Amino acid sequence: MAGRATGVGHRLFAAHPARTLVLAFAVAVLVGTGLLSLPLATADGHSAGFVTALFTATSAVCVTGLVVVDTGTYWSGFGQGVILALVQAGGFGIMTMASLLALLISGRLRLRLQLTALAETKTFGIGDVRRVLLGVAGTTAAVELAVSAVLALRFRFGYDMPVGQAAYHAFFHAVSAFNNGGFALLLDSVVPYRTDPLVTLPIAAAVILGGIGFPVLLELLRHRRRRLTTGRRGWTLHTKLTIVTTAALLFTGTALTTLLEWGNPDTFGPLHWSGKLLNGFFHSAMTRSGGFNAVDVGAMEASTLLMTCTLMFVGGGSAGTAGGIKVTTFAVLAAAMVAEARGEPNSTIMGRRLAPHALRQALTVALLGVGFVIAATLALLTVVKAPLEAVLFEAVSAFATVGLSTGITADLPVSGELIVILLMFVGRLGPVTLVSALALRERKRRYELPEERPVIG
């Protein structure tokens, strides 16, 4: 009987893996809400309100970082531990389950050498599940411990923190950074360290590594070992796209942020030119889905906020801890536009022709993302008295699970908090489940309808 039940459960998972993924994260949110609702979780010993606990748990599990209360003062050590555990579970679960989900789809559909929005299918096989899990765990532990060590030494000897406090602050921020969580123990995030590269650069590096995607990280490590032994180096298209697009967006974000904020007296104005460049890079890295801020985001120029919204919407790499529509989706759409502008019948990129279904999936993800952001912005504008740019920024940050805010999060009414909660959840799991559903539903048509071209533009 148990074997029969197990078989039924396996068939349900195989038929609807996206449904299982959504259910798993929903359960994690509910468990986190229950734990954060305990009197033990708050600093003053009073139970947090249900919506406050739900908002914080959703933000942690979806590794967003938006908060309605200050993490360092409102929550007790137990509450902060729960938040950190939820961030770790959300980041580790996203990386593992998204990779395994991609493997399940590729095994069923026999996809080879094709770019997907989740992972490069050539990287793994169905028999590699154990290696994937161990690889994710090992990579996560290695990066978090390395960043923790650097931060702990800096906090201890650069800011005279007690050993225990330095270690705790370092570990908390390292876990939050690698998982793109955005939670910080200080009320103003990392603003006190904005001119300290020994704090900001390790955090930025952890955010970039976590957001680039586990399939890419594992492939880079594998090919590094192969190159050392055989002298060969060959990356898959997914890895090339992710690295090149991420680097281009980081450079663009750094240049634009630095230039736009150069003379702003409330942000970069008082800084030395080296500090301006450092903070321009840090802010650009945080748009990958990091969520930490080293300057007051609410004081930034409107042009900077719009540029930041664009970078946040794109997000990071597939099957990683970052949100957004993903850099590979952006690259596929860009390749399609270039092909159309040149009058070419097929979209090509880096010497490879893109499959038509990859373009359709990318277009679907991007347009649905735009739809969610617009709908959420309209809903928030009906309940929040704030400028349009601030509300739009909040909506994009929630959908892309970034965590940056202009400062309106804590002032949201309950209805506004519920809208943001839904947007964080949809934004975190929407692209994964949508692309999975599209891939699983792919089928061949046995007939073709008559072709006709409507007027475009």
Side-chain angles (χ1 to χ4, degrees):
M1 198 70 173
R4 182 178 179 181
T6 303
V8 172
H10 177 75
R11 287 195 298 272
L12 286 174
F13 177 80
H16 303 286
R19 182 183 302 173
T20 303
L21 183 63
V22 172
L23 179 61
F25 275 81
V27 170
V29 168
L30 292 177
V31 171
T33 301
L35 292 175
L36 292 177
S37 297
L38 298 174
L40 181 63
T42 60
D44 60 7
H46 294 86
S47 298
F50 173 77
V51 177
T52 298
L54 177 63
F55 189 101
T56 305
T58 305
S59 183
V61 172
C62 296
V63 287
T64 304
L66 290 174
V67 295
V68 291
V69 293
D70 178 43
T71 304
T73 58
Y74 184 85
W75 303 106
S76 65
F78 173 79
Q80 294 172 10
V82 170
I83 292 172
L84 196 63
L86 294 176
V87 168
Q88 183 72 81
F92 183 85
I94 287 287
M95 297 171 76
T96 303
M97 298 183 73
S99 298
L100 297 180
L101 195 58
L103 295 178
L104 176 62
I105 295 172
S106 65
R108 177 170 180 171
L109 300 178
R110 301 180 183 277
L111 298 178
R112 295 178 182 178
L113 303 176
Q114 297 183 8
L115 176 68
T116 70
L118 298 177
E120 172 56 50
T121 57
K122 185 182 176 183
T123 303
F124 308 113
I126 292 298
D128 295 325
V129 173
R130 175 182 172 84
R131 185 166 65 87
V132 170
L133 291 172
L134 294 177
V136 173
T139 303
T140 300
V143 175
E144 290 177 355
L145 290 176
V147 175
S148 294
V150 175
L151 293 179
L153 291 174
R154 185 57 179 165
F155 289 152
R156 176 67 183 94
F157 298 105
Y159 298 92
D160 294 325
M161 283 188 184
V163 175
Q165 183 182 4
Y168 176 66
H169 275 243
F171 182 71
F172 188 98
H173 289 90
V175 172
S176 182
F178 180 71
N179 292 283
N180 282 211
F183 283 88
L185 294 177
L186 298 179
L187 178 61
D188 47 0
S189 193
V190 295
V191 172
Y193 312 111
R194 62 179 180 172
T195 58
D196 189 347
L198 294 180
V199 174
T200 56
L201 289 182
I203 291 177
V207 168
I208 294 171
L209 288 175
I212 205 171
F214 175 71
V216 173
L217 290 178
L218 188 58
E219 183 174 347
L220 292 177
L221 293 174
R222 185 184 65 183
H223 279 283
R224 180 178 179 275
R225 291 193 295 265
R226 181 179 299 177
R227 186 178 61 174
L228 292 175
T229 56
T230 66
R232 293 173 156 187
R233 185 180 72 178
W235 293 342
T236 59
L237 178 60
H238 175 75
T239 296
K240 292 178 183 178
L241 276 182
T242 301
I243 292 177
V244 171
T245 309
T246 298
L249 292 176
L250 280 172
F251 176 80
T252 302
T254 300
L256 289 177
T257 302
T258 304
L259 291 174
L260 294 173
E261 295 296 320
W262 189 273
N264 189 337
D266 297 321
T267 56
F268 289 12
L271 302 177
H272 187 261
W273 68 266
S274 58
K276 295 177 181 180
L277 289 176
L278 175 63
N279 281 271
F281 171 75
F282 184 81
H283 182 76
S284 180
M286 293 308 105
T287 62
R288 300 272 66 75
S289 192
F292 296 96
N293 64 283
V295 296
D296 183 8
V297 176
M300 284 184 163
E301 303 289 350
S303 54
T304 308
L305 294 180
L306 179 59
M307 180 272 299
T308 303
C309 283
T310 304
L311 293 177
M312 291 192 301
F313 186 77
V314 174
S318 300
T321 59
I325 63 172
K326 303 300 188 295
V327 293
T328 44
T329 304
F330 176 77
V332 168
L333 293 176
M337 289 189 292
V338 170
E340 188 64 27
R342 292 178 175 177
E344 298 176 353
N346 298 311
S347 300
T348 60
I349 190 167
M350 296 183 179
R352 292 290 186 270
R353 178 171 57 88
L354 296 176
H357 76 268
L359 176 58
R360 293 196 303 268
Q361 290 178 1
L363 188 61
T364 302
V365 169
L367 289 180
L368 282 179
V370 171
F372 277 122
V373 169
I374 292 177
T377 302
L378 289 173
L380 286 173
L381 284 172
T382 63
V383 298
V384 178
K385 301 299 181 182
L388 172 61
E389 61 267 22
V391 176
L392 175 62
F393 191 94
E394 193 82 5
V396 175
S397 181
F399 171 78
T401 65
V402 177
L404 293 175
S405 176
T406 57
I408 69 172
T409 311
D411 298 326
L412 292 174
V414 173
S415 56
E417 292 180 11
L418 294 176
I419 293 172
V420 174
I421 288 172
L422 178 61
L423 195 57
M424 287 190 293
F425 195 83
V426 170
R428 195 58 178 149
L429 296 175
V432 175
T433 56
L434 175 61
V435 173
S436 302
L438 291 175
L440 288 173
R441 287 174 58 86
E442 185 175 316
R443 58 175 64 91
K444 291 184 178 181
R445 177 176 288 178
R446 300 181 182 274
Y447 60 91
E448 292 292 338
L449 296 173
E451 181 178 300
E452 187 171 350
R453 177 177 296 182
V455 177
I456 303 297

